[in-house]
PDB file of all heavy atoms in Angstrom:
ATOM      1  N   PHE A   1       0.847  -1.182   0.000  1.00 97.00           N
ATOM      2  CA  PHE A   1       0.000   0.000   0.000  1.00 97.00           C
ATOM      3  C   PHE A   1       0.886   1.237   0.000  1.00 97.00           C
ATOM      4  O   PHE A   1       1.809   1.333   0.799  1.00 97.00           O
ATOM      5  CB  PHE A   1      -0.892   0.024   1.251  1.00 97.00           C
ATOM      6  CG  PHE A   1      -1.952  -1.042   1.261  1.00 97.00           C
ATOM      7  CD1 PHE A   1      -1.675  -2.314   1.720  1.00 97.00           C
ATOM      8  CD2 PHE A   1      -3.224  -0.757   0.791  1.00 97.00           C
ATOM      9  CE1 PHE A   1      -2.645  -3.298   1.728  1.00 97.00           C
ATOM     10  CE2 PHE A   1      -4.205  -1.740   0.791  1.00 97.00           C
ATOM     11  CZ  PHE A   1      -3.920  -3.014   1.262  1.00 97.00           C
ATOM     12  N   LYS A   2       0.597   2.163  -0.914  1.00 97.00           N
ATOM     13  CA  LYS A   2       1.335   3.428  -0.932  1.00 97.00           C
ATOM     14  C   LYS A   2       0.642   4.374   0.045  1.00 97.00           C
ATOM     15  O   LYS A   2      -0.454   4.856  -0.214  1.00 97.00           O
ATOM     16  CB  LYS A   2       1.380   4.052  -2.320  1.00 97.00           C
ATOM     17  CG  LYS A   2       2.184   5.363  -2.349  1.00 97.00           C
ATOM     18  CD  LYS A   2       2.279   5.972  -3.719  1.00 97.00           C
ATOM     19  CE  LYS A   2       3.280   5.308  -4.602  1.00 97.00           C
ATOM     20  NZ  LYS A   2       4.645   5.208  -4.150  1.00 97.00           N
ATOM     21  N   LEU A   3       1.295   4.596   1.186  1.00 97.00           N
ATOM     22  CA  LEU A   3       0.753   5.507   2.199  1.00 97.00           C
ATOM     23  C   LEU A   3       1.300   6.899   1.972  1.00 97.00           C
ATOM     24  O   LEU A   3       2.483   7.072   1.681  1.00 97.00           O
ATOM     25  CB  LEU A   3       1.129   5.051   3.610  1.00 97.00           C
ATOM     26  CG  LEU A   3       0.581   3.731   4.119  1.00 97.00           C
ATOM     27  CD1 LEU A   3       0.887   3.585   5.610  1.00 97.00           C
ATOM     28  CD2 LEU A   3      -0.911   3.613   3.887  1.00 97.00           C
ATOM     29  N   SER A   4       0.432   7.877   2.117  1.00 96.00           N
ATOM     30  CA  SER A   4       0.806   9.292   2.057  1.00 96.00           C
ATOM     31  C   SER A   4       0.260   9.956   3.304  1.00 96.00           C
ATOM     32  O   SER A   4      -0.947  10.131   3.437  1.00 96.00           O
ATOM     33  CB  SER A   4       0.214   9.964   0.810  1.00 96.00           C
ATOM     34  OG  SER A   4       0.692   9.331  -0.356  1.00 96.00           O
ATOM     35  N   SER A   5       1.151  10.318   4.209  1.00 91.00           N
ATOM     36  CA  SER A   5       0.758  10.931   5.474  1.00 91.00           C
ATOM     37  C   SER A   5       0.735  12.449   5.326  1.00 91.00           C
ATOM     38  O   SER A   5       1.478  13.004   4.507  1.00 91.00           O
ATOM     39  CB  SER A   5       1.766  10.512   6.553  1.00 91.00           C
ATOM     40  OG  SER A   5       1.427  11.056   7.794  1.00 91.00           O
ATOM     41  N   PRO A   6      -0.086  13.146   6.111  1.00 89.00           N
ATOM     42  CA  PRO A   6      -0.144  14.615   6.038  1.00 89.00           C
ATOM     43  C   PRO A   6       1.204  15.298   6.313  1.00 89.00           C
ATOM     44  O   PRO A   6       1.404  16.443   5.940  1.00 89.00           O
ATOM     45  CB  PRO A   6      -1.162  14.992   7.123  1.00 89.00           C
ATOM     46  CG  PRO A   6      -1.967  13.772   7.341  1.00 89.00           C
ATOM     47  CD  PRO A   6      -1.071  12.608   7.046  1.00 89.00           C
ATOM     48  N   ASN A   7       2.138  14.587   6.928  1.00 93.00           N
ATOM     49  CA  ASN A   7       3.438  15.181   7.247  1.00 93.00           C
ATOM     50  C   ASN A   7       4.425  15.110   6.082  1.00 93.00           C
ATOM     51  O   ASN A   7       5.584  15.463   6.230  1.00 93.00           O
ATOM     52  CB  ASN A   7       4.044  14.506   8.485  1.00 93.00           C
ATOM     53  CG  ASN A   7       4.410  13.057   8.251  1.00 93.00           C
ATOM     54  OD1 ASN A   7       4.374  12.552   7.142  1.00 93.00           O
ATOM     55  ND2 ASN A   7       4.745  12.362   9.320  1.00 93.00           N
ATOM     56  N   GLY A   8       3.977  14.620   4.922  1.00 94.00           N
ATOM     57  CA  GLY A   8       4.847  14.518   3.754  1.00 94.00           C
ATOM     58  C   GLY A   8       5.405  13.126   3.521  1.00 94.00           C
ATOM     59  O   GLY A   8       6.046  12.873   2.506  1.00 94.00           O
ATOM     60  N   PHE A   9       5.167  12.210   4.431  1.00 96.00           N
ATOM     61  CA  PHE A   9       5.619  10.829   4.296  1.00 96.00           C
ATOM     62  C   PHE A   9       4.905  10.171   3.123  1.00 96.00           C
ATOM     63  O   PHE A   9       3.683  10.253   3.002  1.00 96.00           O
ATOM     64  CB  PHE A   9       5.303  10.077   5.597  1.00 96.00           C
ATOM     65  CG  PHE A   9       5.484   8.588   5.512  1.00 96.00           C
ATOM     66  CD1 PHE A   9       6.709   8.021   5.800  1.00 96.00           C
ATOM     67  CD2 PHE A   9       4.432   7.767   5.162  1.00 96.00           C
ATOM     68  CE1 PHE A   9       6.882   6.643   5.749  1.00 96.00           C
ATOM     69  CE2 PHE A   9       4.591   6.385   5.106  1.00 96.00           C
ATOM     70  CZ  PHE A   9       5.821   5.834   5.394  1.00 96.00           C
ATOM     71  N   VAL A  10       5.659   9.526   2.242  1.00 97.00           N
ATOM     72  CA  VAL A  10       5.106   8.708   1.157  1.00 97.00           C
ATOM     73  C   VAL A  10       5.980   7.470   1.071  1.00 97.00           C
ATOM     74  O   VAL A  10       7.205   7.573   0.919  1.00 97.00           O
ATOM     75  CB  VAL A  10       5.107   9.459  -0.198  1.00 97.00           C
ATOM     76  CG1 VAL A  10       4.591   8.553  -1.308  1.00 97.00           C
ATOM     77  CG2 VAL A  10       4.313  10.743  -0.122  1.00 97.00           C
ATOM     78  N   HIS A  11       5.353   6.303   1.187  1.00 96.00           N
ATOM     79  CA  HIS A  11       6.142   5.064   1.194  1.00 96.00           C
ATOM     80  C   HIS A  11       5.231   3.883   0.906  1.00 96.00           C
ATOM     81  O   HIS A  11       4.065   3.879   1.318  1.00 96.00           O
ATOM     82  CB  HIS A  11       6.784   4.902   2.577  1.00 96.00           C
ATOM     83  CG  HIS A  11       7.996   4.040   2.597  1.00 96.00           C
ATOM     84  ND1 HIS A  11       7.943   2.675   2.471  1.00 96.00           N
ATOM     85  CD2 HIS A  11       9.308   4.354   2.744  1.00 96.00           C
ATOM     86  CE1 HIS A  11       9.170   2.180   2.549  1.00 96.00           C
ATOM     87  NE2 HIS A  11      10.018   3.187   2.711  1.00 96.00           N
ATOM     88  N   ASP A  12       5.755   2.882   0.207  1.00 97.00           N
ATOM     89  CA  ASP A  12       5.042   1.623   0.009  1.00 97.00           C
ATOM     90  C   ASP A  12       5.276   0.750   1.231  1.00 97.00           C
ATOM     91  O   ASP A  12       6.432   0.551   1.645  1.00 97.00           O
ATOM     92  CB  ASP A  12       5.544   0.895  -1.235  1.00 97.00           C
ATOM     93  CG  ASP A  12       5.139   1.585  -2.517  1.00 97.00           C
ATOM     94  OD1 ASP A  12       4.128   2.311  -2.509  1.00 97.00           O
ATOM     95  OD2 ASP A  12       5.834   1.405  -3.537  1.00 97.00           O
ATOM     96  N   VAL A  13       4.193   0.241   1.809  1.00 97.00           N
ATOM     97  CA  VAL A  13       4.285  -0.588   3.012  1.00 97.00           C
ATOM     98  C   VAL A  13       3.399  -1.819   2.860  1.00 97.00           C
ATOM     99  O   VAL A  13       2.475  -1.835   2.046  1.00 97.00           O
ATOM    100  CB  VAL A  13       3.880   0.198   4.292  1.00 97.00           C
ATOM    101  CG1 VAL A  13       4.774   1.413   4.499  1.00 97.00           C
ATOM    102  CG2 VAL A  13       2.420   0.603   4.258  1.00 97.00           C
ATOM    103  N   SER A  14       3.663  -2.810   3.682  1.00 97.00           N
ATOM    104  CA  SER A  14       2.823  -4.013   3.701  1.00 97.00           C
ATOM    105  C   SER A  14       1.450  -3.681   4.279  1.00 97.00           C
ATOM    106  O   SER A  14       1.265  -2.645   4.934  1.00 97.00           O
ATOM    107  CB  SER A  14       3.488  -5.097   4.549  1.00 97.00           C
ATOM    108  OG  SER A  14       3.471  -4.715   5.918  1.00 97.00           O
ATOM    109  N   ALA A  15       0.516  -4.580   4.073  1.00 97.00           N
ATOM    110  CA  ALA A  15      -0.828  -4.399   4.643  1.00 97.00           C
ATOM    111  C   ALA A  15      -0.759  -4.341   6.165  1.00 97.00           C
ATOM    112  O   ALA A  15      -1.456  -3.541   6.798  1.00 97.00           O
ATOM    113  CB  ALA A  15      -1.743  -5.532   4.193  1.00 97.00           C
ATOM    114  N   ASP A  16       0.103  -5.170   6.767  1.00 98.00           N
ATOM    115  CA  ASP A  16       0.240  -5.177   8.214  1.00 98.00           C
ATOM    116  C   ASP A  16       0.737  -3.823   8.717  1.00 98.00           C
ATOM    117  O   ASP A  16       0.179  -3.263   9.663  1.00 98.00           O
ATOM    118  CB  ASP A  16       1.181  -6.295   8.650  1.00 98.00           C
ATOM    119  CG  ASP A  16       1.202  -6.471  10.147  1.00 98.00           C
ATOM    120  OD1 ASP A  16       0.182  -6.925  10.703  1.00 98.00           O
ATOM    121  OD2 ASP A  16       2.232  -6.140  10.762  1.00 98.00           O
ATOM    122  N   THR A  17       1.759  -3.289   8.076  1.00 98.00           N
ATOM    123  CA  THR A  17       2.290  -1.978   8.474  1.00 98.00           C
ATOM    124  C   THR A  17       1.247  -0.890   8.255  1.00 98.00           C
ATOM    125  O   THR A  17       1.090   0.001   9.102  1.00 98.00           O
ATOM    126  CB  THR A  17       3.584  -1.671   7.699  1.00 98.00           C
ATOM    127  OG1 THR A  17       4.552  -2.685   7.999  1.00 98.00           O
ATOM    128  CG2 THR A  17       4.146  -0.314   8.054  1.00 98.00           C
ATOM    129  N   ALA A  18       0.524  -0.957   7.155  1.00 98.00           N
ATOM    130  CA  ALA A  18      -0.525   0.031   6.891  1.00 98.00           C
ATOM    131  C   ALA A  18      -1.575   0.011   7.994  1.00 98.00           C
ATOM    132  O   ALA A  18      -2.040   1.059   8.450  1.00 98.00           O
ATOM    133  CB  ALA A  18      -1.173  -0.229   5.532  1.00 98.00           C
ATOM    134  N   GLY A  19      -1.939  -1.183   8.449  1.00 98.00           N
ATOM    135  CA  GLY A  19      -2.917  -1.301   9.530  1.00 98.00           C
ATOM    136  C   GLY A  19      -2.405  -0.708  10.831  1.00 98.00           C
ATOM    137  O   GLY A  19      -3.143  -0.016  11.537  1.00 98.00           O
ATOM    138  N   VAL A  20      -1.139  -0.962  11.149  1.00 98.00           N
ATOM    139  CA  VAL A  20      -0.548  -0.389  12.363  1.00 98.00           C
ATOM    140  C   VAL A  20      -0.594   1.131  12.296  1.00 98.00           C
ATOM    141  O   VAL A  20      -0.974   1.805  13.260  1.00 98.00           O
ATOM    142  CB  VAL A  20       0.901  -0.889  12.566  1.00 98.00           C
ATOM    143  CG1 VAL A  20       1.610  -0.099  13.654  1.00 98.00           C
ATOM    144  CG2 VAL A  20       0.916  -2.371  12.898  1.00 98.00           C
ATOM    145  N   VAL A  21      -0.244   1.694  11.152  1.00 98.00           N
ATOM    146  CA  VAL A  21      -0.248   3.155  10.987  1.00 98.00           C
ATOM    147  C   VAL A  21      -1.670   3.702  11.098  1.00 98.00           C
ATOM    148  O   VAL A  21      -1.909   4.685  11.813  1.00 98.00           O
ATOM    149  CB  VAL A  21       0.405   3.552   9.643  1.00 98.00           C
ATOM    150  CG1 VAL A  21       0.210   5.035   9.356  1.00 98.00           C
ATOM    151  CG2 VAL A  21       1.897   3.199   9.645  1.00 98.00           C
ATOM    152  N   ALA A  22      -2.625   3.065  10.427  1.00 98.00           N
ATOM    153  CA  ALA A  22      -4.015   3.535  10.493  1.00 98.00           C
ATOM    154  C   ALA A  22      -4.537   3.482  11.929  1.00 98.00           C
ATOM    155  O   ALA A  22      -5.217   4.411  12.392  1.00 98.00           O
ATOM    156  CB  ALA A  22      -4.901   2.711   9.562  1.00 98.00           C
ATOM    157  N   CYS A  23      -4.202   2.420  12.663  1.00 98.00           N
ATOM    158  CA  CYS A  23      -4.626   2.315  14.064  1.00 98.00           C
ATOM    159  C   CYS A  23      -3.959   3.392  14.910  1.00 98.00           C
ATOM    160  O   CYS A  23      -4.605   3.985  15.777  1.00 98.00           O
ATOM    161  CB  CYS A  23      -4.308   0.930  14.618  1.00 98.00           C
ATOM    162  SG  CYS A  23      -5.416  -0.351  14.007  1.00 98.00           S
ATOM    163  N   GLY A  24      -2.681   3.653  14.660  1.00 97.00           N
ATOM    164  CA  GLY A  24      -1.985   4.701  15.396  1.00 97.00           C
ATOM    165  C   GLY A  24      -2.650   6.056  15.210  1.00 97.00           C
ATOM    166  O   GLY A  24      -2.864   6.795  16.177  1.00 97.00           O
ATOM    167  N   PHE A  25      -3.005   6.390  13.977  1.00 97.00           N
ATOM    168  CA  PHE A  25      -3.700   7.648  13.712  1.00 97.00           C
ATOM    169  C   PHE A  25      -5.063   7.680  14.406  1.00 97.00           C
ATOM    170  O   PHE A  25      -5.444   8.693  15.007  1.00 97.00           O
ATOM    171  CB  PHE A  25      -3.882   7.877  12.207  1.00 97.00           C
ATOM    172  CG  PHE A  25      -2.750   8.596  11.557  1.00 97.00           C
ATOM    173  CD1 PHE A  25      -1.835   7.911  10.775  1.00 97.00           C
ATOM    174  CD2 PHE A  25      -2.577   9.968  11.710  1.00 97.00           C
ATOM    175  CE1 PHE A  25      -0.783   8.570  10.170  1.00 97.00           C
ATOM    176  CE2 PHE A  25      -1.529  10.634  11.108  1.00 97.00           C
ATOM    177  CZ  PHE A  25      -0.623   9.930  10.330  1.00 97.00           C
ATOM    178  N   ALA A  26      -5.802   6.578  14.319  1.00 97.00           N
ATOM    179  CA  ALA A  26      -7.139   6.530  14.929  1.00 97.00           C
ATOM    180  C   ALA A  26      -7.049   6.672  16.446  1.00 97.00           C
ATOM    181  O   ALA A  26      -7.808   7.440  17.053  1.00 97.00           O
ATOM    182  CB  ALA A  26      -7.852   5.233  14.546  1.00 97.00           C
ATOM    183  N   TYR A  27      -6.130   5.949  17.089  1.00 97.00           N
ATOM    184  CA  TYR A  27      -5.968   6.053  18.543  1.00 97.00           C
ATOM    185  C   TYR A  27      -5.594   7.471  18.945  1.00 97.00           C
ATOM    186  O   TYR A  27      -6.136   8.013  19.908  1.00 97.00           O
ATOM    187  CB  TYR A  27      -4.903   5.092  19.057  1.00 97.00           C
ATOM    188  CG  TYR A  27      -5.258   3.632  19.001  1.00 97.00           C
ATOM    189  CD1 TYR A  27      -4.253   2.681  18.890  1.00 97.00           C
ATOM    190  CD2 TYR A  27      -6.570   3.185  19.083  1.00 97.00           C
ATOM    191  CE1 TYR A  27      -4.549   1.328  18.862  1.00 97.00           C
ATOM    192  CE2 TYR A  27      -6.867   1.837  19.053  1.00 97.00           C
ATOM    193  CZ  TYR A  27      -5.843   0.914  18.942  1.00 97.00           C
ATOM    194  OH  TYR A  27      -6.148  -0.424  18.917  1.00 97.00           O
ATOM    195  N   SER A  28      -4.654   8.060  18.218  1.00 96.00           N
ATOM    196  CA  SER A  28      -4.228   9.424  18.539  1.00 96.00           C
ATOM    197  C   SER A  28      -5.405  10.394  18.413  1.00 96.00           C
ATOM    198  O   SER A  28      -5.659  11.199  19.310  1.00 96.00           O
ATOM    199  CB  SER A  28      -3.093   9.845  17.616  1.00 96.00           C
ATOM    200  OG  SER A  28      -2.728  11.187  17.860  1.00 96.00           O
ATOM    201  N   HIS A  29      -6.115  10.301  17.311  1.00 95.00           N
ATOM    202  CA  HIS A  29      -7.271  11.178  17.071  1.00 95.00           C
ATOM    203  C   HIS A  29      -8.325  11.020  18.173  1.00 95.00           C
ATOM    204  O   HIS A  29      -8.822  12.011  18.710  1.00 95.00           O
ATOM    205  CB  HIS A  29      -7.865  10.850  15.704  1.00 95.00           C
ATOM    206  CG  HIS A  29      -9.096  11.611  15.369  1.00 95.00           C
ATOM    207  ND1 HIS A  29      -9.078  12.933  14.984  1.00 95.00           N
ATOM    208  CD2 HIS A  29     -10.396  11.237  15.375  1.00 95.00           C
ATOM    209  CE1 HIS A  29     -10.314  13.334  14.763  1.00 95.00           C
ATOM    210  NE2 HIS A  29     -11.126  12.330  14.988  1.00 95.00           N
ATOM    211  N   MET A  30      -8.625   9.782  18.526  1.00 95.00           N
ATOM    212  CA  MET A  30      -9.686   9.540  19.504  1.00 95.00           C
ATOM    213  C   MET A  30      -9.247   9.818  20.936  1.00 95.00           C
ATOM    214  O   MET A  30     -10.083   9.945  21.824  1.00 95.00           O
ATOM    215  CB  MET A  30     -10.229   8.125  19.345  1.00 95.00           C
ATOM    216  CG  MET A  30     -10.962   7.977  17.998  1.00 95.00           C
ATOM    217  SD  MET A  30     -11.772   6.401  17.778  1.00 95.00           S
ATOM    218  CE  MET A  30     -13.104   6.551  18.958  1.00 95.00           C
ATOM    219  N   SER A  31      -7.956   9.961  21.163  1.00 95.00           N
ATOM    220  CA  SER A  31      -7.480  10.276  22.515  1.00 95.00           C
ATOM    221  C   SER A  31      -7.918  11.670  22.952  1.00 95.00           C
ATOM    222  O   SER A  31      -7.869  11.986  24.143  1.00 95.00           O
ATOM    223  CB  SER A  31      -5.958  10.149  22.595  1.00 95.00           C
ATOM    224  OG  SER A  31      -5.322  11.197  21.904  1.00 95.00           O
ATOM    225  N   PHE A  32      -8.379  12.490  22.008  1.00 93.00           N
ATOM    226  CA  PHE A  32      -8.838  13.836  22.338  1.00 93.00           C
ATOM    227  C   PHE A  32     -10.323  13.896  22.666  1.00 93.00           C
ATOM    228  O   PHE A  32     -10.847  14.968  22.974  1.00 93.00           O
ATOM    229  CB  PHE A  32      -8.501  14.803  21.198  1.00 93.00           C
ATOM    230  CG  PHE A  32      -7.022  15.016  21.049  1.00 93.00           C
ATOM    231  CD1 PHE A  32      -6.295  14.310  20.112  1.00 93.00           C
ATOM    232  CD2 PHE A  32      -6.352  15.890  21.888  1.00 93.00           C
ATOM    233  CE1 PHE A  32      -4.925  14.480  19.993  1.00 93.00           C
ATOM    234  CE2 PHE A  32      -4.987  16.067  21.787  1.00 93.00           C
ATOM    235  CZ  PHE A  32      -4.269  15.363  20.832  1.00 93.00           C
ATOM    236  N   LEU A  33     -10.993  12.750  22.643  1.00 87.00           N
ATOM    237  CA  LEU A  33     -12.390  12.716  23.070  1.00 87.00           C
ATOM    238  C   LEU A  33     -12.482  13.005  24.565  1.00 87.00           C
ATOM    239  O   LEU A  33     -11.500  12.886  25.293  1.00 87.00           O
ATOM    240  CB  LEU A  33     -12.999  11.335  22.805  1.00 87.00           C
ATOM    241  CG  LEU A  33     -13.151  10.910  21.355  1.00 87.00           C
ATOM    242  CD1 LEU A  33     -13.629   9.458  21.284  1.00 87.00           C
ATOM    243  CD2 LEU A  33     -14.119  11.815  20.625  1.00 87.00           C
TER     244      LEU A  33
END
């Protein structure tokens, strides 16, 4: 999966790595609830 993060990061990663990154973003975002 080619991930493009808002910080300028662009990289091809495995599905497992993509899931870890997506979960990290979701946890961080929801920590402000």
Side-chain angles (χ1 to χ4, degrees):
F1 291 85
K2 181 178 282 304
L3 295 189
S4 300
S5 181
N7 67 9
F9 169 89
V10 177
H11 203 287
D12 290 335
V13 300
S14 69
D16 188 69
T17 300
V20 169
V21 171
C23 286
F25 271 104
Y27 290 153
S28 176
H29 176 76
M30 293 186 70
S31 72
F32 292 98
L33 294 174

